[in-house]
Amino acid sequence: APLAAKSVRAAPQMFSEGDIGVLPPLGVYDPLGLIETRDMRRYEIMEIKHGRAAMLGFLHVIALHAGIRVPGYLSTSMDLKFEDVPAGCFASLEAVPTAGWLQIMILTCMQESGTGFASKPQTEDAEAGDIALDSWVRYDDPEVKTFKLNAERQNGRAAMMGITGCLIHELLGVDALYPTGGLGGAAPPTIF
């Protein structure tokens, strides 16, 4: 009986060599054996979403450290301009007023549910992470499509590690991008 149960559980295994996101050097890396016991599609969708959010977060850190600021006011009622937002990861998050965070959360929920701009809800018959409307570019060539989807996964994974590193650096009391002091012991000058 235990063998029969094990073979039934092994049937829904999702990942194998050559699948999107299964890349060298690790291949199918599952040291805990979770693939056979969980709905991996849900985790695949979450990995894509977290990767996309991390890519935006890491670009935010780079832009703020480069001195890039959007012109205008972040909050007119608080007389807070975008240029007044500090460059630190946590400091920039704390500078945004509560109403701004509510707007961000509403937009995120709308995108997640498919009622936002240029998005549709994730459906069972769509590929994992495909929440864009039909007007977005789709690749007909399977090799190009596989390359693009693998690049997105790898960039998302790298961004998740990058933003985590930036946050840890700041928690340790050093600069997020230049934890060793940057050029000559100080953070480099802004480029804008």
Side-chain angles (χ1 to χ4, degrees):
L3 285 175
K6 186 171 184 159
S7 64
V8 169
R9 222 184 283 156
Q13 182 172 348
M14 285 191 77
F15 301 111
S16 60
E17 296 296 329
D19 287 350
I20 302 291
V22 179
L23 301 166
L26 296 179
V28 180
Y29 184 71
D30 185 27
L32 301 177
L34 297 176
I35 289 176
E36 297 177 2
T37 62
R38 303 243 197 279
D39 174 18
M40 295 310 292
R41 178 171 167 80
R42 179 173 173 263
Y43 290 103
E44 188 178 16
I45 291 168
M46 285 193 307
E47 177 190 23
I48 293 168
K49 288 179 186 178
H50 285 100
R52 289 172 180 168
M55 285 187 267
L56 289 173
F58 194 72
L59 286 176
H60 164 80
V61 170
I62 291 172
L64 285 182
H65 277 75
I68 298 171
R69 299 291 193 276
V70 177
Y73 283 88
L74 178 62
S75 172
T76 54
S77 63
M78 296 178 66
D79 196 35
L80 179 65
K81 293 183 178 183
F82 284 104
E83 64 189 30
D84 298 333
V85 175
C89 294
F90 293 109
S92 65
L93 295 177
E94 292 168 355
V96 177
T98 304
W101 281 114
L102 288 173
Q103 291 174 18
I104 292 169
M105 293 308 298
I106 288 170
L107 175 66
T108 303
C109 291
M110 289 173 64
Q111 290 294 106
E112 190 72 24
S113 65
T115 58
F117 68 94
S119 70
K120 61 182 179 184
Q122 178 73 55
T123 58
E124 287 296 322
D125 58 338
E127 291 187 42
D130 185 8
I131 58 169
L133 295 178
D134 294 331
S135 60
W136 283 65
V137 174
R138 299 293 197 281
Y139 298 97
D140 295 328
D141 183 1
E143 285 185 33
V144 172
K145 183 177 181 177
T146 299
F147 174 80
K148 298 282 187 180
L149 292 174
N150 278 328
E152 180 189 24
R153 293 279 177 94
Q154 293 295 71
N155 289 338
R157 292 168 182 164
M160 286 187 269
M161 297 302 292
I163 195 68
T164 301
C166 288
L167 294 171
I168 289 172
H169 289 156
E170 280 208 4
L171 287 173
L172 293 173
V174 294
D175 188 76
L177 287 181
Y178 302 96
T180 59
L183 307 171
T190 60
I191 58 174
F192 293 102

